[in-house]
Amino acid sequence: MDEYLRGIADDFLRYWPVYCSIPLVAALIGYVTKLVAIRMMFRPLNFVGLKFRHKPVVGWQGIVPKRAARMASIACDTMTQQLVSPREVIERLDPERIAKEIERPLLAAAEEIVTDIAAEYQPGLWEALPDGVRRLVVKRVQAEAPKMVAAVMEAIKDDVDSVFDLKGMVVTSLVKDKELLNRIFQEAGHKEFRFIARSGLLFGGLIGIVQMVVWLVFRIPLIMPLFGLFIGWFTDWLALKMIFRPKQPTRYLGLFEWQGLFLKRRAEVSEAYAALIAKEIITPHNVIEAVLRGPFSDKVVTLIQRQVDEELAKQASFAKPLVVMAVGSRRYQEMKVRIAEQIMARLPETLHYIEDYAEDAMDIRNTLVTKMKQLDADEFEGLLRPAFQQDEWILILTGALLGAACGELQVQLVLHLTS
């Protein structure tokens, strides 16, 4: 036995640079496999590889972009069910303030709508009216237009769930812009991804020391690829565990304390996550577009038509009989629809003027930060965990296979240098 151990020691002293490289290569394997795994989560945005009849056969697409609809839905469920509701977004907007903010562009739009509708339904009549009468009609419409917009906003607030699909807006935005979906996970977890890569160096190096000793003792070529496979698998698995576990600070071996890195960074993550959502997704522009052009926009048209009806009814003793007589009952109904459509067409451009006010009023960023601090550990984990849960086994398997391949190259190199 002594002679055997002496032979191992002599062999190590003779080729120590080669053997000392084993832990270094193992650390490198751990680091590289993590970088590849993280890259594969988000890139490429679109499938790259061979297709047959437009269906992917061999190739790869980033896990997050590939599962964009599901990822967006999961992220949105957390966002809309636990952080902010459609009602919270809309109820903070003051209809009277909105009417005041858009008064100037609305006055110009009202004049154009009156002129267009009059020319469309009774050609020549509008032009034949005295200039003073035309101005009087326009002023009357302009005076009532802000009130009508305020009334429509009140109606939207009273029945916000039937006219504003917040989840649909968020999911549509994220599926349409996969880069933005990537950014949600990357910005929320950028330190976690950095930790995963760096942990590969540490854990890979420690396992590499064991690998070096086992190789010196047994010198079995299969050891290297097996250790490489183990390094790739174990370091991926352990790094993922350390991001989310334990949920509470826990002391190990009486030497050091650890808490899941993502949970430990709750305050920092909340700020970054809320800023991105408020700046890129739940913005006044997107909310306005979702209400006016989303799947429930027909209900908004109905609300506007109702306000047009009420406004005409106020003038029923004078305006309505004259209008019906001039254009006919059927065309009068059509005219009301056209007025509503014209208003809907102009509202997005007009409401652009309220975006600064709406951003302050909705205060999405601070709302999200406050609500995120109230989430329990499981709910908070759900902000980032979906990025790993989808096809997580593929990432770990990829790390293991890359590690095995690197181990095979390593054994060939060691055998060559020590022969």
Side-chain angles (χ1 to χ4, degrees):
M1 176 63 72
D2 290 342
E3 186 175 339
Y4 177 70
L5 293 176
R6 194 178 302 113
I8 292 175
D10 290 342
D11 186 49
F12 177 79
L13 290 174
R14 184 179 181 185
Y15 298 109
W16 69 266
V18 176
Y19 292 131
C20 287
S21 72
I22 292 176
L24 296 177
V25 173
L28 186 61
I29 290 173
Y31 182 67
V32 170
T33 54
K34 303 304 159 292
L35 289 181
V36 172
I38 293 169
R39 180 76 178 177
M40 289 175 67
M41 289 177 64
F42 301 105
R43 293 288 185 272
L45 286 179
N46 300 302
F47 179 81
V48 175
L50 297 176
K51 294 183 179 180
F52 180 70
R53 294 181 179 177
H54 304 292
K55 292 184 179 180
V57 178
V58 179
W60 186 257
Q61 180 180 11
I63 290 174
V64 171
K66 181 180 179 181
R67 309 282 191 227
R70 176 169 171 74
M71 289 285 189
S73 181
I74 292 172
C76 185
D77 283 342
T78 301
M79 195 184 308
T80 58
Q81 293 175 13
Q82 298 166 334
L83 300 181
V84 62
S85 69
R87 189 166 296 279
E88 282 183 289
V89 174
I90 298 296
E91 280 194 339
R92 295 176 181 178
L93 300 176
D94 178 11
E96 298 297 331
R97 174 69 183 274
I98 289 175
K100 184 176 180 180
E101 291 283 335
I102 66 173
E103 185 173 9
R104 182 177 298 174
L106 193 61
L107 296 183
E111 182 173 2
E112 291 180 22
I113 290 172
V114 169
T115 303
D116 291 345
I117 295 297
E120 181 177 347
Y121 283 87
Q122 196 62 31
L125 177 62
W126 180 253
E127 290 79 3
L129 290 173
D131 187 59
V133 174
R134 290 202 301 267
R135 283 200 303 270
L136 189 62
V137 172
V138 169
K139 284 183 179 179
R140 178 61 183 168
V141 173
Q142 288 175 330
E144 297 302 321
K147 299 177 186 177
M148 190 176 75
V149 170
V152 170
M153 286 299 303
E154 284 287 4
I156 289 174
K157 289 176 67 174
D158 291 341
D159 195 16
V160 64
D161 292 324
S162 70
V163 298
F164 179 38
D165 182 11
L166 176 59
K167 180 174 180 178
M169 181 195 81
V170 174
V171 171
T172 300
S173 297
L174 295 180
V175 172
K176 184 178 179 181
D177 188 351
K178 294 174 183 175
E179 187 64 58
L180 178 57
L181 179 62
N182 277 352
R183 284 178 58 201
I184 286 183
F185 292 111
Q186 288 173 325
E187 294 193 16
H190 71 282
K191 287 193 175 180
E192 284 68 28
F193 295 123
R194 191 185 307 161
F195 168 78
I196 289 175
R198 291 176 177 176
S199 69
L201 281 171
L202 175 62
F203 299 138
L206 292 175
I207 296 172
I209 294 174
V210 178
Q211 181 185 14
M212 178 185 68
V213 174
V214 172
W215 172 260
L216 284 169
V217 173
F218 298 102
R219 294 185 68 86
I220 300 174
L222 188 60
I223 287 175
M224 291 296 196
L226 285 179
F227 262 92
L229 185 145
F230 179 73
I231 291 169
W233 168 79
F234 180 74
T235 53
D236 271 355
W237 175 83
L238 184 60
L240 290 174
K241 283 293 183 184
M242 293 181 69
I243 287 176
F244 299 107
R245 297 292 183 274
K247 295 179 181 179
Q248 301 299 329
T250 303
R251 184 164 290 277
Y252 292 91
L253 304 175
L255 299 175
F256 66 95
E257 185 178 88
W258 186 263
Q259 180 185 14
L261 184 59
F262 188 65
L263 297 169
K264 186 177 181 179
R265 292 197 315 115
R266 176 186 287 254
E268 184 182 344
V269 171
S270 298
E271 292 286 345
Y273 186 89
L276 179 62
I277 299 301
K279 183 180 179 181
E280 301 284 356
I281 300 176
I282 309 181
T283 65
H285 175 79
N286 288 347
V287 170
I288 290 169
E289 285 290 316
V291 171
L292 299 182
R293 303 189 192 278
F296 301 150
S297 59
D298 57 328
K299 295 183 179 180
V300 182
V301 173
T302 300
L303 291 177
I304 293 175
Q305 289 176 3
R306 189 183 306 158
Q307 292 304 318
V308 171
D309 264 337
E310 291 179 7
E311 182 56 36
L312 290 174
K314 291 178 185 177
Q315 313 299 327
S317 59
F318 172 74
K320 185 174 179 179
L322 291 179
V323 175
V324 172
M325 186 182 300
V327 302
S329 179
R330 182 180 62 82
R331 286 174 63 77
Y332 169 73
Q333 297 299 326
E334 293 176 359
M335 187 176 70
K336 289 192 300 181
V337 174
R338 286 287 294 129
I339 292 173
E341 290 175 349
Q342 287 267 23
I343 293 172
M344 277 288 285
R346 301 297 181 92
L347 273 180
E349 179 182 349
T350 305
L351 290 176
H352 168 72
Y353 289 83
I354 73 163
E355 289 184 6
D356 288 341
Y357 155 71
E359 184 174 354
D360 291 337
M362 292 191 297
D363 196 20
I364 296 299
R365 182 181 178 281
N366 289 328
T367 299
L368 289 175
V369 171
T370 301
K371 292 289 186 69
M372 288 173 73
K373 290 178 180 178
Q374 298 170 2
L375 296 177
D376 62 32
D378 288 331
E379 292 169 337
F380 192 80
E381 179 182 319
L383 294 174
L384 185 63
R385 188 63 172 156
F388 294 102
Q389 285 177 322
Q390 289 292 307
D391 295 334
E392 182 179 285
W393 65 273
I394 296 179
L395 299 177
I396 295 177
L397 178 61
T398 300
L401 293 177
L402 286 171
C406 291
E408 179 61 29
L409 292 175
Q410 188 178 19
V411 72
Q412 297 301 325
L413 183 61
V414 169
L415 288 172
H416 175 72
L417 293 176
T418 58
S419 59

